[in-house]
Amino acid sequence: MRIGGLLVRHEVRLLVSLALWVARRRHGTGGGRAFGYAGGQGAMMAGFAFVCLVETVALSVLLRDWPAVHAAVLFLDVYTIVFVVALHASSVVRPHVLHVERGSLRIRRYVHVDLCVPLERIASVRRELRMTHERADGELNVEVGAQTTVTLELTEPVTHITFLGRRREVRVVRFHADDADGLVRALGRARV
């Protein structure tokens, strides 16, 4: 029952992100400086949406003689297209946010990851392009297009809550930012 509730919440948040994207608004930036990460995945997401559209048309032609099956498959195919577009929209409207006044960096990806890192816990920050990521205790890799561009090492762990609600303590956070150099410079200034 709990997992069903989490999945419904996830779908609602995706649809809200789609509405925000259409309205050209952002979620949760509130006076902070936003750093996007969607640029590296835009073409891939457009490709996924196009493939889903082609599949929808092809299945509509193939299933035209079975109206009940056609209606069910058409609903699922259209929802898949909406899901893919909403997933991309969520990455556009939910950027990473540096709040100097609040003393925090908010690292996000889609509606799945939302990690708040206090600036005083950042021991070091560097621009580091990584294409492979091994799972390790105490590390969080927030990849976009299988790459990360910024690495944070923390003086003490922060709690990351996973998609299904598990808590993990992390001391190293790797994530992608379109303007990784600008983010590293801004973090350097904010920490001083």
Side-chain angles (χ1 to χ4, degrees), residues 116-135:
C116 188
V117 178
L119 295 180
E120 69 267 5
R121 291 192 188 179
I122 298 175
S124 69
V125 58
R126 65 183 174 279
R127 186 181 191 321
E128 177 183 39
L129 177 62
R130 280 190 161 210
M131 304 296 237
T132 59
H133 301 88
E134 300 287 329
R135 285 191 56 98

Side-chain angles (χ1 to χ4, degrees), residues 10-192:
H10 176 265
E11 299 298 308
V12 168
R13 291 173 74 193
L14 280 177
L15 294 175
V16 167
S17 295
L18 186 58
L20 288 171
W21 190 47
V22 169
R24 297 192 180 274
R25 302 213 184 269
R26 288 191 168 169
H27 175 272
T29 54
R33 183 171 171 196
F35 291 91
Y37 55 89
Q41 69 181 15
M44 181 183 67
M45 296 303 277
F48 280 151
F50 178 74
V51 167
C52 291
L53 180 64
V54 169
E55 177 196 24
T56 301
V57 172
L59 286 175
S60 289
V61 171
L62 292 172
L63 297 174
R64 67 181 174 264
D65 294 334
W66 296 286
V69 175
H70 177 262
V73 170
L74 181 64
F75 172 79
L76 291 173
D77 282 344
V78 169
Y79 186 75
T80 300
I81 294 169
V82 170
F83 181 85
V84 168
V85 173
L87 202 57
H88 178 66
S90 69
S91 67
V92 172
V93 302
R94 296 171 185 270
H96 306 306
V97 183
L98 174 60
H99 286 285
V100 177
E101 297 81 26
R102 295 181 192 170
S104 67
L105 172 65
R106 192 172 182 185
I107 300 168
R108 305 195 282 184
R109 178 159 189 236
Y110 303 133
V111 295
H112 307 128
V113 176
D114 194 348
L115 177 70
C116 188
V117 178
L119 295 180
E120 69 267 5
R121 291 192 188 179
I122 298 175
S124 69
V125 58
R126 65 183 174 279
R127 186 181 191 321
E128 177 183 39
L129 177 62
R130 280 190 161 210
M131 304 296 237
T132 59
H133 301 88
E134 300 287 329
R135 285 191 56 98
D137 286 338
E139 294 184 3
L140 175 65
N141 296 308
V142 186
E143 306 145 9
V144 173
Q147 70 178 6
T148 58
T149 55
V150 178
T151 300
L152 294 179
E153 293 182 13
L154 307 177
T155 57
E156 56 186 276
V158 295
T159 302
H160 166 62
I161 300 172
T162 66
F163 178 70
L164 295 176
R166 277 189 323 198
R167 301 172 77 78
R168 287 185 56 213
E169 299 296 318
V170 295
R171 291 187 76 98
V172 175
V173 182
R174 294 184 187 91
F175 61 99
H176 176 77
D178 292 337
D179 180 17
D181 292 325
L183 177 57
V184 168
R185 281 193 305 272
L187 274 171
R189 286 191 300 270
R191 290 174 51 225
V192 171

